[in-house]
Amino acid sequence: NYAIGIDIGGTKTAIGLVDSEGNVKDKLSLPTDQSVSPSEMVDRMAAAVRQLADQAGLPIESLTGIGIGAPGPLNTKLGQISEPPNLRGWWGFPVVEAVKRHFDLPVFFENDATAAALAEKWIGAARDSQHFIYITISTGIGAGIYSHGRLITGASGNAGDVGHFVVAPEAGQCVCGQEGCWEFVASGTAIARQASELLERPVSTKEAIDLAVSGDHPKMTALIERIFKYIGVGCVTLINTQDPEMLVLGGGVSQAGEPLFNAVKDYVSRYALNPTGRETRIVPAALSQDAGLIGAAALVHVSY
Ligand code: ADP
Ligand code: ZN
């Protein structure tokens, strides 16, 4: 049986037809056009869903449901996008109701990082774990918490919005108004910003990390070491609060691989509280391509 996964992002919306083993049978990508109303965007999404079903020869009624992942803050009780900074035109938009107007199918709706955590549990790096945290280090930083064998969503679907942990109060003001949030100092956006300030020219996140690792630029090495330490700081806080068996790191910045993982493991081994017998594994996410839409489809296929 098949579900539709819809991953709404600030620049594009990925829509896929996903089977009950997590295979993406077919998918489409639409630009998230913020110059049109969200309800117009939902009309386009609905047309894409019909197209995918048609191409697969599946009647809409045969689909198990539609899962939607979206950036937070949102309100899953109300089925609304709340006020994500990268989706300004969607603030307060009742997305679940809008999708239900098109289809007589069950609709599931969660924060994108929460949905990605469920996908890692379903077919990814955390299949064998009952207690883990998925952390995405991407444009921002977010997390999905899986504890005691279930997804922790919170009262309104915003549990795991860890990007606004304060880790460096001197660092400057985040979009949320606080000083020194985790994502303000350690997201992909934050790495590029600080590296560009250092070199006084535009520098991408990947270039900054490559330069740091090459050892040719000691100031960049020091900057990236400090940023990776901050990534470790947030991880320690999560380990100390949730006692997970593992952390699963995903998102674009996790593509940096070993230098990042080694730095985080080193920091965690030094500073996470260390009860007897506890060893928190830190592993890369298994799903990178299509993680968002597989996560959205997981909301339909997997009970949480
Ligand atoms: P989104 O936030 O839209 O979900 P991604 O998870 O792809 O997107 O994260 C985008 C961030 O990851 C950007 O800041 C980008 O510069 C960074 N990034 C992408 N690839 C790499 C890489 N190989 N190494 C380090 N950073 C990367
Ligand atoms: Zn913040």
Side-chain angles (χ1 to χ4, degrees):
N1 62 57
Y2 287 93
I4 294 287
I6 302 180
D7 177 34
I8 303 176
T11 55
K12 67 181 176 56
T13 295
I15 304 175
L17 187 62
V18 181
D19 74 12
S20 55
E21 260 76 61
N23 302 303
V24 179
K25 175 150 169 102
D26 198 2
K27 62 179 177 179
L28 282 168
S29 175
L30 299 177
T32 305
D33 183 350
Q34 297 202 45
S35 69
V36 303
S37 69
S39 84
E40 164 65 24
M41 269 307 302
V42 169
D43 291 348
R44 293 181 192 174
M45 284 155 45
V49 169
R50 290 186 194 286
Q51 185 185 334
L52 288 173
D54 269 3
Q55 283 168 196
L58 295 166
I60 292 288
E61 329 65 90
S62 75
L63 300 174
T64 315
I66 299 177
I68 305 170
L74 42 65
N75 189 316
T76 54
K77 282 258 147 61
L78 301 174
Q80 290 186 5
I81 307 272
S82 297
E83 43 183 28
N86 59 352
L87 270 183
R88 293 202 166 254
W90 289 61
W91 285 17
F93 180 68
V95 64
V96 170
E97 190 189 304
V99 170
K100 281 190 164 163
R101 236 177 267 141
H102 286 272
F103 302 105
D104 186 20
L105 289 172
V107 176
F108 300 82
F109 175 52
E110 296 293 341
N111 183 298
D112 48 15
T114 300
L118 190 63
E120 290 293 332
K121 170 66 192 172
W122 183 28
I123 54 166
R127 262 176 281 196
D128 301 325
S129 180
Q130 302 303 313
H131 306 273
F132 75 92
I133 300 173
Y134 167 81
I135 303 169
T136 171
I137 309 167
S138 44
T139 312
I141 298 181
I145 303 167
Y146 194 90
S147 190
H148 296 275
R150 51 182 306 202
L151 207 49
I152 303 299
T153 57
S156 59
N158 293 294
D161 209 340
V162 298
H164 304 281
F165 278 174
V166 171
V167 301
E170 266 68 69
Q173 193 176 35
C174 178
V175 281
C176 77
Q178 291 201 99
E179 306 277 333
C181 290
W182 196 15
E183 70 175 37
F184 181 77
V185 296
S187 64
T189 314
I191 294 170
R193 185 192 71 236
Q194 294 165 88
S196 303
E197 279 164 16
L198 181 64
L199 298 192
E200 298 178 320
R201 65 169 175 85
V203 182
S204 74
T205 307
K206 181 172 184 333
E207 189 193 345
I209 296 172
D210 288 347
L211 203 52
V213 171
S214 75
D216 295 342
H217 199 297
K219 283 188 176 159
M220 189 63 83
T221 303
L223 173 67
I224 296 297
E225 277 175 3
R226 188 167 77 241
I227 293 171
F228 285 179
K229 188 191 85 173
Y230 288 139
I231 295 178
V233 172
C235 290
V236 164
T237 302
L238 282 168
I239 291 169
N240 289 346
T241 26
Q242 292 288 329
D243 193 15
E245 297 160 335
M246 64 196 299
L247 300 181
V248 178
L249 305 188
V253 178
S254 72
Q255 302 294 324
E258 255 190 14
L260 169 68
F261 281 80
N262 289 343
V264 172
K265 285 177 190 173
D266 180 60
Y267 191 85
V268 163
S269 72
R270 282 168 201 261
Y271 299 111
L273 296 176
N274 196 19
T276 316
R278 178 160 89 180
E279 196 190 332
T280 314
R281 284 186 295 144
I282 298 175
V283 304
L287 302 170
S288 54
Q289 227 195 332
D290 302 331
L293 65 86
I294 294 173
L299 300 171
V300 181
H301 281 304
V302 185
S303 59
Y304 62 93

